[in-house]
Amino acid sequence: MAEPKIIELNNGSMQVKVSNLGCTILSLSVPDKDGNLGDVVLGFDTLEPYQKGLAPYFGSIVGRVANRIKDGKFSLNGVDYTLPINKPPNSLHGGHKGFDKAVWEVAEHKEGEHPSVTFKYHSRDGEEGYPGDLSVTATYTLTSKTTLRLDMEAVPANKATPVSLAQHTYWNLGGHNSGDILDNTAQIWANHITPVDQYTVPTGEIMPVKGTPFDFTSEKQIGRDIQQVGLGYDHNYVLDCGDEKDGFKHAAKIKDPKSSRVLDLWTNAPGMQFYTANYVNGVVGKGGAVYNKHAGVCLETQGFPNAINTPNFPSVVVQPGDKYIHNMVYEFSVE
């Protein structure tokens, strides 16, 4: 069995610490407008709290299927599957022991100008209720001075299976210990969201954001309309209007007014869960920092939630012989 360890990627201008435990981004330090490095990721100083399940998916890759599957049930090729109900009444982020709790194999670690690390995981047939063996790889690369790229692939061996991975980092561009993100601005290149029922499962509808508190098509403060959406944002945005670059869509841009740090996210995924850490409450993190509600923002590019049970959503089923490919690019800057 692989042992949990911490690996550092450093190119002289940004520093990222990742672990093979859940493919987790533990810290990511980038300069502010004055050139001061700051860690912009919520998390813990050691691996122990992650192992004990004290993190609400801080920094990890979640799977085999990210987000909620309604009632923990789906049918595929005439077979009914039942998944663990770990967020009643639904199955969330792969079940009791999803990919975020697995120790991945460190397949390759390169240093130099573009340091990278590749993690591999073999998910067994029947693991957490999912069909078929699945081989998964995830590679983090520092592709430029202040850019992190993540490339994820998954290949089913013998049975069709739903696959939808997501990277679940909680970002706070002011610094992980700088309080809430409500004064940050967000722009999300999505004209639609998938509205949800009382249990945060999409209804199947695709709703225009225009004229609603969900509209981030132009830059606005995250906190401006947040009171109008219950606990906060926790919704899947349909990435349907972003510019393209190298085959990736512009998904989101987050800006912190105090540090002037900016994060631009590019992806090939169809959706992105925009989540404002609504359930974070008194988590003691790095350096004794206490993380409370809205202490970070998650930009979880993904297949649409519960797509396996929603015929009008883009399919998340991957056939044997096919390959699931999910890429994202996190570009940091100051402006």
Side-chain angles (χ1 to χ4, degrees), residues 58-78:
F58 281 167
S60 59
I61 288 179
V62 295
R64 183 174 302 194
V65 174
N67 219 302
R68 289 159 182 81
I69 292 182
K70 186 179 170 73
D71 301 329
K73 293 193 168 91
F74 68 91
S75 295
L76 186 56
N77 295 338

Side-chain angles (χ1 to χ4, degrees), residues 59-202:
S60 59
I61 288 179
V62 295
R64 183 174 302 194
V65 174
N67 219 302
R68 289 159 182 81
I69 292 182
K70 186 179 170 73
D71 301 329
K73 293 193 168 91
F74 68 91
S75 295
L76 186 56
N77 295 338
V79 182
D80 294 337
Y81 294 94
T82 306
L83 311 173
I85 307 292
N86 61 323
K87 181 86 174 175
N90 304 306
S91 192
L92 175 69
H93 289 332
H96 293 307
K97 193 181 176 203
F99 291 3
D100 63 295
K101 295 177 184 69
V103 179
W104 299 46
E105 173 201 341
V106 182
E108 188 173 44
H109 178 203
K110 291 183 192 163
E111 293 180 352
E113 193 186 351
H114 303 296
S116 69
V117 62
T118 299
F119 299 118
K120 289 192 172 176
Y121 181 63
H122 186 82
S123 177
R124 301 178 328 280
D125 184 18
E127 183 177 316
E128 295 295 308
Y130 287 95
D133 289 286
L134 187 71
S135 297
V136 191
T137 61
T139 301
Y140 290 106
T141 310
L142 303 189
T143 51
S144 78
K145 274 193 172 351
T146 50
T147 304
L148 171 69
R149 177 169 168 152
L150 170 58
D151 296 289
M152 301 190 286
E153 295 188 352
V155 179
N158 40 21
K159 291 181 189 172
T161 180
V163 183
S164 178
L165 308 180
Q167 216 300 337
H168 207 300
T169 293
Y170 291 68
W171 304 99
N172 187 330
L173 296 178
H176 73 94
N177 55 353
S178 65
D180 69 52
I181 46 79
L182 297 177
D183 68 342
N184 283 207
T185 60
Q187 186 168 2
I188 302 173
W189 279 270
N191 287 320
H192 300 82
I193 62 161
T194 52
V196 293
D197 66 16
Q198 67 193 55
Y199 300 117
T200 327
V201 174

Side-chain angles (χ1 to χ4, degrees), residues 273-328:
Q273 191 82 2
F274 180 61
Y275 172 53
T276 48
N278 310 325
Y279 303 107
V280 175
N281 179 9
V283 177
V284 180
K286 286 181 268 200
V290 179
Y291 305 137
N292 286 311
K293 189 177 181 181
H294 308 319
V297 59
C298 299
L299 308 168
E300 305 158 56
T301 66
Q302 60 178 7
F304 295 2
N306 197 40
I308 190 69
N309 292 312
T310 315
N312 59 309
F313 284 0
S315 174
V316 294
V317 174
V318 185
Q319 303 292 339
D322 286 349
K323 183 187 281 189
Y324 165 92
I325 298 175
H326 181 177
N327 319 93
M328 60 210 77

